[in-house]
């Protein structure tokens, strides 16, 4: 019996880790906000300075919790280097 063992090829594992977190992954952690963000303009950063961000409109209409949007924006903002 050969005892070379298995070569386990798991390239996907490398995509984990904070260095590879992108805004879509963060939004997935906020499903209620992600649903709103789907109506954002294409390429919207969802940050406080984003023009026409649907999150702002949803907050104004009282549809989402402003504190949740704040948390999301803090996380998204931390991605910007
Ligand atoms: Zn947005």
């Amino acid at each position: 019996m050969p005892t070379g063992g298995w070569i386990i090829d798991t390239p996907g594992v490398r995509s984990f880790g904070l260095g590879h977190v992108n805004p879509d992954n963060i939004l997935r952690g906020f499903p209620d906000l992600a649903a709103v963000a789907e109506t954002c303009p294409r390429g919207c950063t969802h940050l406080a300075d984003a023009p026409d961000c649907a999150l702002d409109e949803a907050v104004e209409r009282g549809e989402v919790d402003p504190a949740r949007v704040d948390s999301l924006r803090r996380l998204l903002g931390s991605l910007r280097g």
Side-chain angles (χ1 to χ4, degrees), residues 37 40-41 44-47 50 52-55 73:
C40 281
C44 182
T45 60
H46 315 305
L47 292 170
D52 303 322
C53 182
L55 293 175
R73 285 183 164 158

Side-chain angles (χ1 to χ4, degrees), residues 6-7 13 15 18 25-26 34 48 50 57 59 61 69 75 78 81:
W6 297 94
I7 294 168
V13 170
S15 65
L18 278 175
N25 286 338
I26 290 181
E57 293 162 25
V59 167
R61 290 195 299 263
V69 175
L75 283 168
S78 70

Side-chain angles (χ1 to χ4, degrees), residues 32-33 36 54-66 69:
D32 48 337
L33 303 185
V36 172
L55 293 175
D56 283 326
E57 293 162 25
V59 167
E60 274 171 33
R61 290 195 299 263
E63 292 173 6
V64 297
D65 182 351
V69 175

